[in-house]
DNA sequence: CCTGAAACCTGTCTGC
DNA sequence: TGCAGACAGGTTTCAG
């Protein structure tokens, strides 16, 4: 699920609630059940279980791909990684069950309302932190791509400061916080820039085009409630607007040439070799 | 500094 | 039907 638009969609849903589910805001956590130890990055399980109780969820925000829950004293940070999901379901058991009610539940936070927050994560890559110093975990992140302080001049100078392949650089969360494999491929296609170009070879105009394309794709993704592919379905619609992602061999929507797939930084990378040339 | 590979996991799909 | 292999929205760590 989880690039910036998918995380944003999940958090908006938790804040707003819906017809069958209440908002998570202002609910109080009364206890926790941890079903997969490695899901908890810090602190130790016993300390986590004692510190998490009697905490009100005062605010919910996002930083990059991190979910940030503002509690009374501490911050609960959750990263969904490849297959994580968060949703409310009714509390059906004692506070310290050893086994989850559903397969793949890794953490359950019991709430005073009779509901609970489920951290569901098939592949077990997701991580949870409870900390009083969120900057110790979020401090390394780069700018938010939608931050208005990021203008084309700043983006150009950031690109100039590195000599790295664009695809892995844009996915590096220390460079920009929030892009993943889908939105990076779509943005590079939209800006007509080859994913293997080195960052310091872009012109100022190309840098401006790329920044605009990144924002256009992220905003489209948010508008569409994210992308829903494979068996991990959340009701998003952005997958119906993919131009190149997972379109290997299909005709390019601009020129009709088949879309290429290659591997860069161990990740599938989709692009049009004619619209996104290495050299002009 | 930069790139690539391996590791962490489970599930789905394809091809023989 | 079974089974091996490739692949999946991410990040960390290590080798060269």
């Amino acid at each position: 699920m989880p690039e910036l638009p998918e995380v944003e969609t999940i958090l908006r849903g938790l804040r707003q609630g819906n017809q069958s589910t209440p908002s998570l805001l202002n609910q109080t956590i009364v206890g926790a059940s941890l079903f997969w130890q490695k899901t908890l990055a810090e602190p130790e399980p016993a300390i986590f279980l004692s510190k998490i109780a009697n905490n009100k969820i005062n605010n919910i925000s996002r930083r990059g791909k991190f979910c940030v829950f503002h509690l009374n004293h501490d911050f609960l940070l959750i990263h969904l990684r490849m297959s994580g999901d968060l949703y409310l379901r009714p509390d059906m058991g004692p506070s310290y069950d050893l086994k989850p009610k559903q397969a793949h539940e890794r953490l359950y936070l019991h709430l005073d309302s009779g509901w609970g927050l489920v951290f569901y994560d098939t592949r077990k890559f997701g991580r949870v932190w409870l900390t009083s110093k969120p900057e110790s975990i979020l401090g390394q992140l780069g700018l938010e791509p939608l931050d208005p302080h990021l203008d084309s001049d700043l983006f150009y100078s950031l690109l100039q400061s590195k000599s790295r392949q664009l695809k892995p650089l844009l996915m590096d969360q220390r460079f920009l916080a929030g892009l993943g494999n889908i939105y990076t491929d779509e943005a590079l296609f939209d800006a007509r820039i080859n994913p293997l170009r080195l960052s310091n070879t872009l012109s100022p105009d190309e840098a401006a085009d790329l920044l605009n394309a990144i924002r256009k794709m992220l905003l489209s993704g948010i508008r569409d409630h994210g992308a829903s592919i494979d068996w991990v379905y959340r009701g998003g619609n952005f997958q119906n607007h993919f131009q190149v992602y997972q379109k290997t061999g299909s005709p390019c929507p601009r020129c009709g040439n088949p879309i290429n797939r290659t591997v860069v930084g161990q990740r599938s990378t989709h692009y049009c070799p004619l619209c996104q040339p290495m050299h002009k």
Side-chain angles (χ1 to χ4, degrees), chain A residues 49-62:
Chain A
L49 293 174
S50 67
K51 287 188 103 173
I52 196 75
N54 303 311
N55 256 301
K56 192 168 145 194
I57 299 171
N58 296 304
N59 202 2
I60 300 172
S61 61
R62 178 188 60 73

Side-chain angles (χ1 to χ4, degrees), chain A residues 29-247:
Chain A
I29 299 168
V30 296
S33 301
L34 178 64
F35 304 119
W36 183 254
Q37 299 274 48
K38 292 171 84 171
T39 292
L40 183 57
E42 71 172 59
E44 294 300 312
I47 298 173
F48 174 83
L49 293 174
S50 67
K51 287 188 103 173
I52 196 75
N54 303 311
N55 256 301
K56 192 168 145 194
I57 299 171
N58 296 304
N59 202 2
I60 300 172
S61 61
R62 178 188 60 73
R63 178 73 175 98
K65 301 173 190 171
F66 283 83
C67 306
V68 182
F69 299 92
H70 305 240
L71 309 182
N72 291 357
H73 302 292
D74 294 322
F75 292 83
L76 180 70
L77 306 181
I78 299 184
H79 198 302
L80 305 174
R81 295 279 172 91
M82 287 290 263
S83 60
D85 196 3
L86 290 170
Y87 52 87
L88 294 188
R89 72 155 170 77
D91 201 339
M92 297 185 290
S95 285
Y96 296 98
D97 277 355
L98 297 176
K99 297 179 90 174
K101 299 297 180 192
Q102 308 286 338
H104 312 309
E105 288 185 2
R106 308 303 176 200
L107 176 68
Y108 188 83
L109 299 180
H110 303 265
L111 304 168
D112 62 346
S113 61
W115 292 78
L117 179 66
V118 175
F119 180 36
Y120 182 99
D121 182 25
T122 304
R123 292 181 68 181
K124 298 178 174 173
F125 289 159
R127 291 294 179 268
V128 173
W129 297 257
L130 181 65
T131 177
S132 59
K133 295 188 176 65
E135 284 309 303
S136 66
I137 293 134
L138 306 176
Q140 297 288 92
L141 293 175
L143 284 170
E144 290 287 325
L146 299 174
D147 183 342
H149 291 101
L150 176 61
D151 60 22
S152 55
D153 289 341
L154 174 56
F155 190 55
Y156 176 68
S157 68
L158 288 172
L159 291 169
Q160 285 291 310
S161 72
K162 305 280 180 188
S163 181
R164 291 180 56 186
Q165 297 168 332
L166 283 172
K167 175 71 189 279
L169 179 62
L170 294 174
M171 291 181 64
D172 186 335
Q173 302 300 295
R174 296 168 301 184
F175 185 75
L176 284 184
L179 288 175
N181 213 26
I182 293 176
Y183 294 90
T184 302
D185 278 5
E186 295 294 326
L188 286 165
F189 173 77
D190 193 70
R192 305 180 185 234
I193 296 174
N194 190 283
L196 288 167
R197 289 270 301 275
L198 295 181
S199 56
N200 57 353
T201 68
L202 265 61
S203 68
D205 281 349
E206 288 176 317
D209 288 346
L210 181 55
L211 180 59
N212 285 336
I214 288 168
R215 288 175 165 164
K216 176 180 164 188
M217 292 305 140
L218 292 175
L219 291 172
S220 302
I222 292 170
R223 196 181 315 122
D224 280 335
H225 308 293
S228 307
I229 57 179
D230 294 343
W231 74 98
V232 189
Y233 182 70
R234 281 286 291 197
N237 196 46
F238 190 67
Q239 70 278 10
N240 296 319
H241 301 295
F242 290 167
Q243 304 290 293
V244 290
Y245 183 76
Q246 288 186 343
K247 298 287 187 186

